[in-house]
mmCIF file of all heavy atoms in Angstrom:
data_model
loop_
_atom_site.group_PDB
_atom_site.id
_atom_site.type_symbol
_atom_site.label_atom_id
_atom_site.label_comp_id
_atom_site.label_asym_id
_atom_site.label_seq_id
_atom_site.Cartn_x
_atom_site.Cartn_y
_atom_site.Cartn_z
ATOM 1 N N MET A 1 -0.731 -36.475 -78.894
ATOM 2 C CA MET A 1 -0.100 -37.656 -79.493
ATOM 3 C C MET A 1 0.848 -38.317 -78.485
ATOM 4 O O MET A 1 0.884 -39.546 -78.366
ATOM 5 C CB MET A 1 0.651 -37.267 -80.774
ATOM 6 C CG MET A 1 -0.272 -36.844 -81.906
ATOM 7 S SD MET A 1 0.548 -36.000 -83.298
ATOM 8 C CE MET A 1 1.904 -37.061 -83.660
ATOM 9 N N THR A 2 1.589 -37.493 -77.736
ATOM 10 C CA THR A 2 2.531 -38.005 -76.744
ATOM 11 C C THR A 2 1.799 -38.678 -75.589
ATOM 12 O O THR A 2 2.207 -39.752 -75.125
ATOM 13 C CB THR A 2 3.444 -36.877 -76.222
ATOM 14 O OG1 THR A 2 4.124 -36.293 -77.335
ATOM 15 C CG2 THR A 2 4.458 -37.399 -75.225
ATOM 16 N N ILE A 3 0.722 -38.075 -75.116
ATOM 17 C CA ILE A 3 -0.057 -38.673 -74.022
ATOM 18 C C ILE A 3 -0.562 -40.058 -74.429
ATOM 19 O O ILE A 3 -0.425 -41.036 -73.684
ATOM 20 C CB ILE A 3 -1.232 -37.752 -73.620
ATOM 21 C CG1 ILE A 3 -0.712 -36.508 -72.905
ATOM 22 C CG2 ILE A 3 -2.245 -38.495 -72.745
ATOM 23 C CD1 ILE A 3 -1.751 -35.412 -72.698
ATOM 24 N N ILE A 4 -1.131 -40.157 -75.608
ATOM 25 C CA ILE A 4 -1.653 -41.449 -76.078
ATOM 26 C C ILE A 4 -0.511 -42.438 -76.261
ATOM 27 O O ILE A 4 -0.611 -43.606 -75.860
ATOM 28 C CB ILE A 4 -2.469 -41.242 -77.372
ATOM 29 C CG1 ILE A 4 -3.764 -40.490 -77.028
ATOM 30 C CG2 ILE A 4 -2.769 -42.571 -78.056
ATOM 31 C CD1 ILE A 4 -4.543 -39.979 -78.216
ATOM 32 N N GLY A 5 0.593 -41.988 -76.828
ATOM 33 C CA GLY A 5 1.760 -42.858 -76.995
ATOM 34 C C GLY A 5 2.291 -43.376 -75.671
ATOM 35 O O GLY A 5 2.651 -44.552 -75.548
ATOM 36 N N LEU A 6 2.342 -42.505 -74.667
ATOM 37 C CA LEU A 6 2.830 -42.928 -73.347
ATOM 38 C C LEU A 6 1.895 -43.939 -72.691
ATOM 39 O O LEU A 6 2.357 -44.923 -72.086
ATOM 40 C CB LEU A 6 3.018 -41.710 -72.438
ATOM 41 C CG LEU A 6 4.226 -40.835 -72.753
ATOM 42 C CD1 LEU A 6 4.190 -39.543 -71.922
ATOM 43 C CD2 LEU A 6 5.527 -41.591 -72.515
ATOM 44 N N TRP A 7 0.596 -43.710 -72.766
ATOM 45 C CA TRP A 7 -0.353 -44.663 -72.193
ATOM 46 C C TRP A 7 -0.204 -46.040 -72.847
ATOM 47 O O TRP A 7 -0.024 -47.047 -72.164
ATOM 48 C CB TRP A 7 -1.800 -44.177 -72.368
ATOM 49 C CG TRP A 7 -2.293 -43.306 -71.259
ATOM 50 C CD1 TRP A 7 -2.423 -41.958 -71.286
ATOM 51 C CD2 TRP A 7 -2.719 -43.723 -69.959
ATOM 52 N NE1 TRP A 7 -2.917 -41.506 -70.083
ATOM 53 C CE2 TRP A 7 -3.111 -42.570 -69.253
ATOM 54 C CE3 TRP A 7 -2.817 -44.962 -69.321
ATOM 55 C CZ2 TRP A 7 -3.580 -42.620 -67.941
ATOM 56 C CZ3 TRP A 7 -3.303 -45.006 -68.024
ATOM 57 C CH2 TRP A 7 -3.669 -43.852 -67.351
ATOM 58 N N PHE A 8 -0.302 -46.062 -74.170
ATOM 59 C CA PHE A 8 -0.266 -47.349 -74.868
ATOM 60 C C PHE A 8 1.118 -47.988 -74.809
ATOM 61 O O PHE A 8 1.247 -49.181 -74.553
ATOM 62 C CB PHE A 8 -0.735 -47.196 -76.312
ATOM 63 C CG PHE A 8 -2.194 -46.854 -76.439
ATOM 64 C CD1 PHE A 8 -2.661 -46.177 -77.551
ATOM 65 C CD2 PHE A 8 -3.115 -47.197 -75.471
ATOM 66 C CE1 PHE A 8 -4.007 -45.862 -77.688
ATOM 67 C CE2 PHE A 8 -4.461 -46.896 -75.588
ATOM 68 C CZ PHE A 8 -4.910 -46.215 -76.704
ATOM 69 N N GLY A 9 2.159 -47.203 -75.032
ATOM 70 C CA GLY A 9 3.521 -47.735 -74.979
ATOM 71 C C GLY A 9 3.887 -48.220 -73.590
ATOM 72 O O GLY A 9 4.511 -49.267 -73.421
ATOM 73 N N GLY A 10 3.478 -47.452 -72.574
ATOM 74 C CA GLY A 10 3.772 -47.846 -71.194
ATOM 75 C C GLY A 10 3.121 -49.166 -70.814
ATOM 76 O O GLY A 10 3.757 -50.051 -70.231
ATOM 77 N N PHE A 11 1.861 -49.318 -71.159
ATOM 78 C CA PHE A 11 1.171 -50.565 -70.817
ATOM 79 C C PHE A 11 1.668 -51.734 -71.670
ATOM 80 O O PHE A 11 1.759 -52.862 -71.182
ATOM 81 C CB PHE A 11 -0.347 -50.407 -70.926
ATOM 82 C CG PHE A 11 -0.958 -49.954 -69.634
ATOM 83 C CD1 PHE A 11 -0.914 -48.611 -69.270
ATOM 84 C CD2 PHE A 11 -1.535 -50.847 -68.757
ATOM 85 C CE1 PHE A 11 -1.446 -48.178 -68.066
ATOM 86 C CE2 PHE A 11 -2.076 -50.435 -67.549
ATOM 87 C CZ PHE A 11 -2.029 -49.085 -67.204
ATOM 88 N N GLN A 12 2.006 -51.464 -72.927
ATOM 89 C CA GLN A 12 2.542 -52.542 -73.774
ATOM 90 C C GLN A 12 3.902 -52.996 -73.261
ATOM 91 O O GLN A 12 4.289 -54.132 -73.483
ATOM 92 C CB GLN A 12 2.657 -52.089 -75.235
ATOM 93 C CG GLN A 12 1.344 -51.988 -75.949
ATOM 94 C CD GLN A 12 0.776 -53.317 -76.397
ATOM 95 O OE1 GLN A 12 1.144 -54.383 -75.924
ATOM 96 N NE2 GLN A 12 -0.153 -53.260 -77.328
ATOM 97 N N ALA A 13 4.641 -52.137 -72.596
ATOM 98 C CA ALA A 13 5.925 -52.524 -72.001
ATOM 99 C C ALA A 13 5.723 -53.231 -70.654
ATOM 100 O O ALA A 13 6.442 -54.182 -70.330
ATOM 101 C CB ALA A 13 6.814 -51.294 -71.815
ATOM 102 N N LEU A 14 4.746 -52.778 -69.886
ATOM 103 C CA LEU A 14 4.501 -53.342 -68.556
ATOM 104 C C LEU A 14 3.897 -54.751 -68.610
ATOM 105 O O LEU A 14 4.312 -55.644 -67.858
ATOM 106 C CB LEU A 14 3.565 -52.414 -67.774
ATOM 107 C CG LEU A 14 3.115 -52.884 -66.392
ATOM 108 C CD1 LEU A 14 4.309 -52.974 -65.455
ATOM 109 C CD2 LEU A 14 2.054 -51.943 -65.839
ATOM 110 N N MET A 15 2.947 -54.957 -69.485
ATOM 111 C CA MET A 15 2.220 -56.229 -69.508
ATOM 112 C C MET A 15 3.098 -57.454 -69.818
ATOM 113 O O MET A 15 2.923 -58.496 -69.177
ATOM 114 C CB MET A 15 1.040 -56.161 -70.468
ATOM 115 C CG MET A 15 -0.046 -55.217 -69.979
ATOM 116 S SD MET A 15 -0.717 -55.708 -68.387
ATOM 117 C CE MET A 15 -2.437 -55.592 -68.735
ATOM 118 N N PRO A 16 4.044 -57.387 -70.758
ATOM 119 C CA PRO A 16 4.890 -58.562 -70.962
ATOM 120 C C PRO A 16 5.733 -58.895 -69.727
ATOM 121 O O PRO A 16 6.003 -60.066 -69.451
ATOM 122 C CB PRO A 16 5.799 -58.180 -72.134
ATOM 123 C CG PRO A 16 5.159 -57.040 -72.788
ATOM 124 C CD PRO A 16 4.327 -56.355 -71.754
ATOM 125 N N VAL A 17 6.127 -57.873 -68.975
ATOM 126 C CA VAL A 17 6.903 -58.107 -67.757
ATOM 127 C C VAL A 17 6.043 -58.846 -66.733
ATOM 128 O O VAL A 17 6.489 -59.823 -66.113
ATOM 129 C CB VAL A 17 7.449 -56.781 -67.183
ATOM 130 C CG1 VAL A 17 8.111 -56.995 -65.833
ATOM 131 C CG2 VAL A 17 8.416 -56.129 -68.158
ATOM 132 N N ILE A 18 4.802 -58.401 -66.572
ATOM 133 C CA ILE A 18 3.884 -59.082 -65.651
ATOM 134 C C ILE A 18 3.649 -60.522 -66.123
ATOM 135 O O ILE A 18 3.709 -61.462 -65.317
ATOM 136 C CB ILE A 18 2.552 -58.316 -65.535
ATOM 137 C CG1 ILE A 18 2.777 -56.962 -64.857
ATOM 138 C CG2 ILE A 18 1.507 -59.139 -64.773
ATOM 139 C CD1 ILE A 18 1.583 -56.029 -64.909
ATOM 140 N N GLY A 19 3.403 -60.705 -67.412
ATOM 141 C CA GLY A 19 3.216 -62.051 -67.955
ATOM 142 C C GLY A 19 4.448 -62.922 -67.764
ATOM 143 O O GLY A 19 4.348 -64.102 -67.412
ATOM 144 N N TYR A 20 5.603 -62.343 -67.974
ATOM 145 C CA TYR A 20 6.865 -63.065 -67.799
ATOM 146 C C TYR A 20 7.018 -63.543 -66.355
ATOM 147 O O TYR A 20 7.357 -64.701 -66.102
ATOM 148 C CB TYR A 20 8.027 -62.151 -68.186
ATOM 149 C CG TYR A 20 9.389 -62.771 -68.027
ATOM 150 C CD1 TYR A 20 9.919 -63.564 -69.035
ATOM 151 C CD2 TYR A 20 10.153 -62.557 -66.882
ATOM 152 C CE1 TYR A 20 11.174 -64.134 -68.900
ATOM 153 C CE2 TYR A 20 11.397 -63.118 -66.737
ATOM 154 C CZ TYR A 20 11.914 -63.906 -67.748
ATOM 155 O OH TYR A 20 13.151 -64.469 -67.607
ATOM 156 N N LEU A 21 6.749 -62.635 -65.413
ATOM 157 C CA LEU A 21 6.864 -62.999 -63.997
ATOM 158 C C LEU A 21 5.875 -64.107 -63.621
ATOM 159 O O LEU A 21 6.207 -64.994 -62.831
ATOM 160 C CB LEU A 21 6.659 -61.768 -63.116
ATOM 161 C CG LEU A 21 7.740 -60.687 -63.253
ATOM 162 C CD1 LEU A 21 7.363 -59.439 -62.454
ATOM 163 C CD2 LEU A 21 9.100 -61.215 -62.836
ATOM 164 N N LEU A 22 4.690 -64.077 -64.192
ATOM 165 C CA LEU A 22 3.720 -65.159 -63.961
ATOM 166 C C LEU A 22 4.203 -66.464 -64.603
ATOM 167 O O LEU A 22 4.118 -67.529 -63.996
ATOM 168 C CB LEU A 22 2.349 -64.785 -64.527
ATOM 169 C CG LEU A 22 1.596 -63.669 -63.820
ATOM 170 C CD1 LEU A 22 0.367 -63.271 -64.615
ATOM 171 C CD2 LEU A 22 1.220 -64.101 -62.408
ATOM 172 N N GLY A 23 4.700 -66.356 -65.819
ATOM 173 C CA GLY A 23 5.151 -67.543 -66.545
ATOM 174 C C GLY A 23 6.350 -68.216 -65.914
ATOM 175 O O GLY A 23 6.463 -69.447 -65.921
ATOM 176 N N VAL A 24 7.265 -67.437 -65.354
ATOM 177 C CA VAL A 24 8.460 -67.990 -64.712
ATOM 178 C C VAL A 24 8.072 -68.904 -63.553
ATOM 179 O O VAL A 24 8.721 -69.919 -63.303
ATOM 180 C CB VAL A 24 9.401 -66.849 -64.241
ATOM 181 C CG1 VAL A 24 10.447 -67.348 -63.275
ATOM 182 C CG2 VAL A 24 10.052 -66.186 -65.426
ATOM 183 N N ARG A 25 6.994 -68.576 -62.895
ATOM 184 C CA ARG A 25 6.546 -69.393 -61.755
ATOM 185 C C ARG A 25 6.152 -70.809 -62.182
ATOM 186 O O ARG A 25 6.223 -71.743 -61.398
ATOM 187 C CB ARG A 25 5.368 -68.728 -61.058
ATOM 188 C CG ARG A 25 5.752 -67.366 -60.491
ATOM 189 C CD ARG A 25 4.688 -66.859 -59.645
ATOM 190 N NE ARG A 25 4.766 -67.619 -58.395
ATOM 191 C CZ ARG A 25 4.130 -67.320 -57.313
ATOM 192 N NH1 ARG A 25 3.342 -66.282 -57.302
ATOM 193 N NH2 ARG A 25 4.249 -68.040 -56.232
ATOM 194 N N PHE A 26 5.704 -70.949 -63.445
ATOM 195 C CA PHE A 26 5.232 -72.242 -63.932
ATOM 196 C C PHE A 26 6.178 -72.880 -64.948
ATOM 197 O O PHE A 26 5.902 -73.962 -65.442
ATOM 198 C CB PHE A 26 3.847 -72.080 -64.575
ATOM 199 C CG PHE A 26 2.845 -71.472 -63.649
ATOM 200 C CD1 PHE A 26 2.443 -70.155 -63.811
ATOM 201 C CD2 PHE A 26 2.327 -72.197 -62.589
ATOM 202 C CE1 PHE A 26 1.528 -69.571 -62.952
ATOM 203 C CE2 PHE A 26 1.414 -71.627 -61.715
ATOM 204 C CZ PHE A 26 1.013 -70.312 -61.897
ATOM 205 N N GLN A 27 7.274 -72.207 -65.237
ATOM 206 C CA GLN A 27 8.175 -72.646 -66.294
ATOM 207 C C GLN A 27 8.670 -74.080 -66.112
ATOM 208 O O GLN A 27 8.641 -74.867 -67.051
ATOM 209 C CB GLN A 27 9.367 -71.695 -66.381
ATOM 210 C CG GLN A 27 10.352 -72.060 -67.465
ATOM 211 C CD GLN A 27 11.530 -71.100 -67.482
ATOM 212 O OE1 GLN A 27 11.724 -70.309 -66.565
ATOM 213 N NE2 GLN A 27 12.305 -71.178 -68.526
ATOM 214 N N SER A 28 9.079 -74.442 -64.929
ATOM 215 C CA SER A 28 9.648 -75.772 -64.709
ATOM 216 C C SER A 28 8.622 -76.880 -64.930
ATOM 217 O O SER A 28 8.969 -77.990 -65.323
ATOM 218 C CB SER A 28 10.227 -75.876 -63.296
ATOM 219 O OG SER A 28 9.203 -75.697 -62.341
ATOM 220 N N ARG A 29 7.362 -76.577 -64.735
ATOM 221 C CA ARG A 29 6.312 -77.579 -64.906
ATOM 222 C C ARG A 29 5.866 -77.734 -66.360
ATOM 223 O O ARG A 29 5.266 -78.740 -66.713
ATOM 224 C CB ARG A 29 5.096 -77.205 -64.065
ATOM 225 C CG ARG A 29 5.402 -77.174 -62.593
ATOM 226 C CD ARG A 29 4.174 -76.803 -61.798
ATOM 227 N NE ARG A 29 4.600 -76.407 -60.466
ATOM 228 C CZ ARG A 29 4.132 -75.389 -59.807
ATOM 229 N NH1 ARG A 29 3.176 -74.650 -60.318
ATOM 230 N NH2 ARG A 29 4.580 -75.088 -58.622
ATOM 231 N N ILE A 30 6.151 -76.743 -67.193
ATOM 232 C CA ILE A 30 5.588 -76.735 -68.538
ATOM 233 C C ILE A 30 6.656 -76.740 -69.635
ATOM 234 O O ILE A 30 6.334 -76.638 -70.808
ATOM 235 C CB ILE A 30 4.676 -75.496 -68.719
ATOM 236 C CG1 ILE A 30 3.753 -75.323 -67.538
ATOM 237 C CG2 ILE A 30 3.845 -75.616 -69.965
ATOM 238 C CD1 ILE A 30 2.917 -74.073 -67.602
ATOM 239 N N THR A 31 7.908 -76.881 -69.305
ATOM 240 C CA THR A 31 8.988 -76.768 -70.281
ATOM 241 C C THR A 31 8.802 -77.692 -71.482
ATOM 242 O O THR A 31 9.117 -77.314 -72.611
ATOM 243 C CB THR A 31 10.346 -77.049 -69.604
ATOM 244 O OG1 THR A 31 10.482 -76.174 -68.481
ATOM 245 C CG2 THR A 31 11.491 -76.817 -70.558
ATOM 246 N N ALA A 32 8.280 -78.874 -71.286
ATOM 247 C CA ALA A 32 8.136 -79.836 -72.392
ATOM 248 C C ALA A 32 7.132 -79.373 -73.453
ATOM 249 O O ALA A 32 7.236 -79.777 -74.612
ATOM 250 C CB ALA A 32 7.705 -81.190 -71.841
ATOM 251 N N ILE A 33 6.196 -78.516 -73.071
ATOM 252 C CA ILE A 33 5.191 -78.075 -74.046
ATOM 253 C C ILE A 33 5.188 -76.566 -74.261
ATOM 254 O O ILE A 33 4.253 -76.011 -74.834
ATOM 255 C CB ILE A 33 3.778 -78.540 -73.623
ATOM 256 C CG1 ILE A 33 3.416 -77.990 -72.240
ATOM 257 C CG2 ILE A 33 3.651 -80.045 -73.670
ATOM 258 C CD1 ILE A 33 1.955 -78.149 -71.882
ATOM 259 N N ASP A 34 6.267 -75.888 -73.821
ATOM 260 C CA ASP A 34 6.300 -74.432 -73.897
ATOM 261 C C ASP A 34 6.122 -73.898 -75.316
ATOM 262 O O ASP A 34 5.449 -72.893 -75.531
ATOM 263 C CB ASP A 34 7.583 -73.877 -73.284
ATOM 264 C CG ASP A 34 8.843 -74.411 -73.938
ATOM 265 O OD1 ASP A 34 8.764 -75.201 -74.898
ATOM 266 O OD2 ASP A 34 9.930 -74.018 -73.470
ATOM 267 N N HIS A 35 6.697 -74.577 -76.303
ATOM 268 C CA HIS A 35 6.575 -74.128 -77.695
ATOM 269 C C HIS A 35 5.128 -74.224 -78.179
ATOM 270 O O HIS A 35 4.674 -73.397 -78.956
ATOM 271 C CB HIS A 35 7.516 -74.923 -78.596
ATOM 272 C CG HIS A 35 7.362 -76.400 -78.470
ATOM 273 N ND1 HIS A 35 7.804 -77.101 -77.363
ATOM 274 C CD2 HIS A 35 6.785 -77.297 -79.279
ATOM 275 C CE1 HIS A 35 7.514 -78.383 -77.516
ATOM 276 N NE2 HIS A 35 6.892 -78.532 -78.670
ATOM 277 N N TRP A 36 4.403 -75.226 -77.699
ATOM 278 C CA TRP A 36 2.993 -75.354 -78.069
ATOM 279 C C TRP A 36 2.172 -74.250 -77.422
ATOM 280 O O TRP A 36 1.237 -73.712 -78.025
ATOM 281 C CB TRP A 36 2.454 -76.726 -77.669
ATOM 282 C CG TRP A 36 2.984 -77.826 -78.535
ATOM 283 C CD1 TRP A 36 3.955 -78.719 -78.217
ATOM 284 C CD2 TRP A 36 2.591 -78.112 -79.886
ATOM 285 N NE1 TRP A 36 4.188 -79.554 -79.282
ATOM 286 C CE2 TRP A 36 3.361 -79.211 -80.323
ATOM 287 C CE3 TRP A 36 1.671 -77.559 -80.762
ATOM 288 C CZ2 TRP A 36 3.235 -79.747 -81.588
ATOM 289 C CZ3 TRP A 36 1.540 -78.110 -82.029
ATOM 290 C CH2 TRP A 36 2.320 -79.191 -82.428
ATOM 291 N N ILE A 37 2.513 -73.888 -76.183
ATOM 292 C CA ILE A 37 1.818 -72.804 -75.498
ATOM 293 C C ILE A 37 2.022 -71.493 -76.254
ATOM 294 O O ILE A 37 1.070 -70.749 -76.506
ATOM 295 C CB ILE A 37 2.281 -72.680 -74.029
ATOM 296 C CG1 ILE A 37 1.834 -73.918 -73.241
ATOM 297 C CG2 ILE A 37 1.762 -71.393 -73.388
ATOM 298 C CD1 ILE A 37 2.420 -74.016 -71.847
ATOM 299 N N ALA A 38 3.272 -71.210 -76.627
ATOM 300 C CA ALA A 38 3.569 -69.990 -77.390
ATOM 301 C C ALA A 38 2.799 -69.993 -78.709
ATOM 302 O O ALA A 38 2.200 -68.979 -79.098
ATOM 303 C CB ALA A 38 5.067 -69.880 -77.648
ATOM 304 N N PHE A 39 2.800 -71.122 -79.396
ATOM 305 C CA PHE A 39 2.102 -71.256 -80.668
ATOM 306 C C PHE A 39 0.601 -70.991 -80.513
ATOM 307 O O PHE A 39 0.008 -70.207 -81.262
ATOM 308 C CB PHE A 39 2.351 -72.660 -81.240
ATOM 309 C CG PHE A 39 1.506 -73.013 -82.429
ATOM 310 C CD1 PHE A 39 1.715 -72.408 -83.655
ATOM 311 C CD2 PHE A 39 0.493 -73.958 -82.318
ATOM 312 C CE1 PHE A 39 0.933 -72.730 -84.756
ATOM 313 C CE2 PHE A 39 -0.287 -74.299 -83.410
ATOM 314 C CZ PHE A 39 -0.074 -73.676 -84.636
ATOM 315 N N VAL A 40 -0.012 -71.616 -79.519
ATOM 316 C CA VAL A 40 -1.456 -71.477 -79.305
ATOM 317 C C VAL A 40 -1.810 -70.049 -78.885
ATOM 318 O O VAL A 40 -2.750 -69.442 -79.426
ATOM 319 C CB VAL A 40 -1.966 -72.511 -78.271
ATOM 320 C CG1 VAL A 40 -3.384 -72.202 -77.837
ATOM 321 C CG2 VAL A 40 -1.884 -73.914 -78.855
ATOM 322 N N LEU A 41 -1.068 -69.484 -77.910
ATOM 323 C CA LEU A 41 -1.378 -68.132 -77.450
ATOM 324 C C LEU A 41 -1.233 -67.103 -78.574
ATOM 325 O O LEU A 41 -2.127 -66.282 -78.786
ATOM 326 C CB LEU A 41 -0.478 -67.737 -76.277
ATOM 327 C CG LEU A 41 -0.806 -68.358 -74.931
ATOM 328 C CD1 LEU A 41 0.239 -67.962 -73.880
ATOM 329 C CD2 LEU A 41 -2.189 -67.929 -74.457
#
C-alpha cells in the first residue's frame, strides 16, 4: 500500500510543479485569458 501510495503521490506532487514551471514561462503572454485556460483544461 505504501509503495503504491508513494508512486502515485510522488508523481501527483511532481507534475503540477513541472506544469507550473512551464506555465510561468508563458504567463505574461496569456494573462488576459488565463481564467479561460484554467476553465477549459
Side-chain angles (χ1 to χ4, degrees):
M1 292 166 49
T2 303
I3 289 169
I4 290 169
L6 286 171
W7 272 103
F8 292 154
F11 270 80
Q12 286 282 19
L14 176 65
M15 292 300 228
V17 173
I18 293 170
Y20 179 84
L21 294 174
L22 291 171
V24 165
R25 298 190 75 168
F26 304 106
Q27 181 181 12
S28 62
R29 298 180 196 137
I30 314 175
T31 305
I33 59 168
D34 58 1
H35 53 287
W36 288 103
I37 293 171
F39 170 70
V40 169
L41 285 176

